[in-house]
Amino acid sequence: MYLTGFKSDMEGRKARRVASACRERGLASFRFDHRGHGASGGALESGSVGVWFRDALALLRARLRGELVLVGASMGVWLMLLLARASGRGEVGRVRGLIGIGGGADFADRLPTLTAAERRELRRSGIVWRPSRYGDGPYPLTERMVEDGRRHRVLAKRWDPGCPVRLLHGMRDPDVPWPESVAVAESLVGGSARVTLIPDGDHRLSRDSDLDRLERALDEVLAAPVGRSR
């Protein structure tokens, strides 16, 4: 299952590469657009990490057959961690591996720098629109996103995902600094997590060389022996 990032969609190069790699290996794959993203309905500003997590959980319950590998990019890393914890609680089927790309978690604890005017607007109306460096228009930051994000923290308490974890991160990522992936790895016990830092990599990690690394990470988690921690 591929989980896209904030303001991304399932037609991106990484999502399509994962789908192609699964086909080549005789595996089923599933990708979708979050509510308010891509081809899905709803307003982006009405969403939050909790909303997108519950949607993904419902899709997993409806479609999961057998073991599962979760692949998350950017915000999708946070969502895959929430889903892995849900799996550990028996709320969804067994997760076989986790692969994160340029992401982290608990972003509500590390808000972007807001101007005094933006903070006043957030308090007054509950929403501010922030500029995007990717030419896809401004993105919303709402009080709901902040409050809901704090209710869905995953890094405060260490836990064992019970599966191999591979985290890829570009060291030239201007949006999610690479120490975010290190923080994710440090929050996990069981010796399962490995972080690969790419010196010249950006946030998207969509170059052919980056996609090759992603495919190798998929092979690694698929080859890992079955057990609680590996």
Side-chain angles (χ1 to χ4, degrees), residues 126-142:
I127 184 171
V128 293
W129 291 87
R130 300 282 296 169
S132 169
R133 70 178 74 246
Y134 298 108
D136 54 356
Y139 67 89
L141 174 65
T142 69

Side-chain angles (χ1 to χ4, degrees), residues 2 14-15 17-18 71 99 101 168 209-219:
Y2 186 89
K14 293 187 294 293
R17 180 65 171 264
V18 169
V71 183
I99 302 173
I101 310 154
L168 311 177
S209 58
D210 300 323
L211 299 177
D212 290 342
R213 285 190 181 92
L214 171 57
E215 197 162 333
R216 289 195 296 271
L218 177 61
D219 285 332

Side-chain angles (χ1 to χ4, degrees), residues 33 49 53 65 74 134 141 148 165 179 194-195 212:
D33 286 333
V49 69
F53 161 62
R65 302 292 183 273
S74 193
Y134 298 108
L141 174 65
D148 194 46
V165 181
R194 297 180 188 172
V195 179
D212 290 342

Side-chain angles (χ1 to χ4, degrees), residues 4-192:
T4 64
F6 186 66
K7 289 201 76 177
S8 296
D9 62 64
M10 62 180 171
E11 296 303 325
R13 293 195 75 200
K14 293 187 294 293
R16 289 187 284 112
R17 180 65 171 264
V18 169
S20 173
C22 287
R23 283 194 301 271
E24 291 172 0
R25 289 158 178 76
L27 304 173
S29 66
F30 183 63
R31 54 192 168 120
F32 67 101
D33 286 333
H34 300 301
R35 189 183 311 195
H37 293 68
S40 293
L44 179 64
E45 59 268 28
S46 68
S48 65
V49 69
V51 168
W52 297 316
F53 161 62
R54 288 188 292 275
D55 286 346
L57 185 61
L59 288 169
L60 276 187
R61 287 171 170 163
R63 290 183 170 266
L64 176 61
R65 302 292 183 273
E67 295 181 328
L68 176 74
V69 173
L70 295 171
V71 183
S74 193
M75 182 188 71
V77 173
W78 193 352
L79 296 174
M80 82 173 187
L81 294 172
L82 288 168
L83 290 170
R85 290 207 313 186
S87 172
R89 296 190 297 265
E91 297 176 26
V92 70
R94 186 178 184 279
V95 173
R96 176 70 181 268
L98 303 175
I99 302 173
I101 310 154
D106 298 359
F107 296 140
D109 292 334
R110 296 176 296 283
L111 293 176
T113 301
L114 301 178
T115 66
E118 286 174 328
R119 292 186 181 278
R120 287 193 298 271
E121 181 62 21
L122 187 61
R123 289 194 297 269
R124 185 188 69 82
S125 65
I127 184 171
V128 293
W129 291 87
R130 300 282 296 169
S132 169
R133 70 178 74 246
Y134 298 108
D136 54 356
Y139 67 89
L141 174 65
T142 69
E143 284 191 323
R144 177 182 182 179
M145 290 176 180
V146 174
E147 293 169 0
D148 194 46
R150 288 171 176 159
R151 285 192 293 268
H152 289 85
R153 291 183 176 100
V154 293
L155 302 182
K157 184 178 180 180
R158 300 188 74 200
W159 57 287
D160 185 355
C163 65
V165 181
R166 301 294 180 265
L167 303 170
L168 311 177
H169 214 123
M171 297 185 74
R172 294 184 180 179
D173 187 338
D175 298 306
V176 182
W178 62 263
E180 298 283 352
S181 279
V182 175
V184 169
E186 290 176 343
S187 76
L188 304 175
V189 299
S192 61

